[in-house]
Amino acid sequence: GENVEQHPSTLSVQEGDSAVIKCTYSDSASNYFPWYKQELGKGPQLIIDIRSNVGEKKDQRIAVTLNKTAKHFSLHITETQPEDSAVYFCAAKRSGYSTLTFGKGTMLLVSP
Amino acid sequence: NAGVTQTPKFQVLKTGQSMTLQCAQDMNHEYMSWYRQDPGMGLRLIHYSVGAGITDQGEVPNGYNVSRSTTEDFPLRLLSAAPSQTSVYFCASSSRGDLNTEAFFGQGTRLTVV
């Protein structure tokens, strides 16, 4: 089955800095890679996703890059703000499958 | 829009007790799943369903039962609670197909087994 590794487990940055979270996956047939943000006491919420036919996708301050050959993808957050503080999860899924395989999560702390 | 609704939000059980965690979605999604979240372990799949009447086991199914009698509901049953089942439980739903695959999560149920 699929295995998703996520690093780092914790990340502390100053407000305004950039933050990068990296994930690797094992199943070369995976073709959908979402990123979820989980705020304290809430369920995970999708913030951005990318499919295997695309190398990069941006949405305002967040971007995701995908390297299919190396089987890794990354989340980039620029100009971080205190409200970006949360746990971030990467995930992977194969076409036709109904469930996601998640990484173990990254706790991002943005200090004012 | 209600989305995915989980009840209860908090629950304390004694070892050996049984209970059912409720999950309902109003988006007419075919796929539903249950995850547990433990510190440092991420989200691990317990059971999932691809449609009414169809369920299957995930990564950590032991000690849990599920059923899917309707599209909207996917309850998770603990038959005899154990301290190892202390966790936060999340239900998720998504639609079938490759174009619209976002998974929507409920707010979670925090379960403590003493």
Side-chain angles (χ1 to χ4, degrees):
Chain A
E2 175 66 277
N3 182 50
V4 178
E5 299 283 341
Q6 182 172 347
H7 299 281
S9 57
T10 59
L11 179 59
S12 294
V13 300
Q14 293 289 321
E15 182 176 0
D17 288 350
S18 294
V20 180
I21 303 170
K22 299 182 178 181
C23 289
T24 60
Y25 61 97
S26 61
D27 187 352
S28 57
S30 288
N31 61 354
Y32 175 65
F33 307 95
W35 286 88
Y36 283 81
K37 176 183 181 182
Q38 184 182 28
E39 296 177 340
L40 195 62
K42 297 186 177 181
Q45 189 165 12
L46 180 73
I47 55 171
I48 194 168
D49 56 15
I50 191 167
R51 300 179 188 281
S52 58
N53 58 346
V54 175
E56 183 176 4
K57 184 177 180 181
K58 289 184 179 180
D59 184 3
Q60 299 182 353
R61 295 188 297 108
I62 61 173
V64 57
T65 59
L66 172 65
N67 183 326
K68 286 172 53 181
T69 303
K71 290 191 282 189
H72 67 70
F73 55 112
S74 301
L75 178 71
H76 304 254
I77 305 175
T78 59
E79 300 173 20
T80 54
Q81 301 167 2
E83 51 264 39
D84 294 329
S85 296
V87 178
Y88 291 81
F89 291 98
C90 63
K93 191 175 87 72
R94 288 179 69 169
S95 177
Y97 279 34
S98 62
T99 60
L100 296 162
T101 300
F102 286 88
K104 287 185 167 53
T106 296
M107 180 175 292
L108 173 65
L109 177 62
V110 181
S111 303
Chain B
N1 292 335
V4 179
T5 302
Q6 290 184 238
T7 55
K9 287 187 169 52
F10 302 94
Q11 183 71 48
V12 179
L13 287 179
K14 293 183 179 180
T15 298
Q17 287 185 317
S18 63
M19 80 159 295
T20 300
L21 280 63
Q22 301 291 345
C23 175
Q25 53 93 6
D26 62 358
M27 296 172 282
N28 202 31
H29 284 165
E30 297 88 350
Y31 298 160
M32 295 187 75
S33 51
W34 278 100
Y35 294 86
R36 60 178 288 174
Q37 183 176 21
D38 302 293
M41 300 297 290
L43 293 157
R44 293 184 292 169
L45 183 66
I46 305 172
H47 284 286
Y48 64 99
S49 170
V50 298
I54 305 170
T55 64
D56 208 344
Q57 296 181 350
E59 179 185 358
V60 287
N62 292 341
Y64 308 95
N65 277 352
V66 292
S67 60
R68 184 97 179 269
S69 56
T70 67
T71 299
E72 295 78 18
D73 300 299
F74 191 42
L76 178 72
R77 298 183 185 85
L78 283 70
L79 299 178
S80 179
S84 61
Q85 294 178 304
T86 293
S87 188
V88 181
Y89 292 85
F90 289 99
C91 178
S93 74
S94 61
S95 62
R96 185 167 45 195
D98 288 340
L99 293 181
N100 194 16
T101 51
E102 177 180 354
F104 294 83
F105 284 82
Q107 293 292 293
T109 295
R110 183 174 293 275
L111 175 67
T112 302
V113 183
V114 298

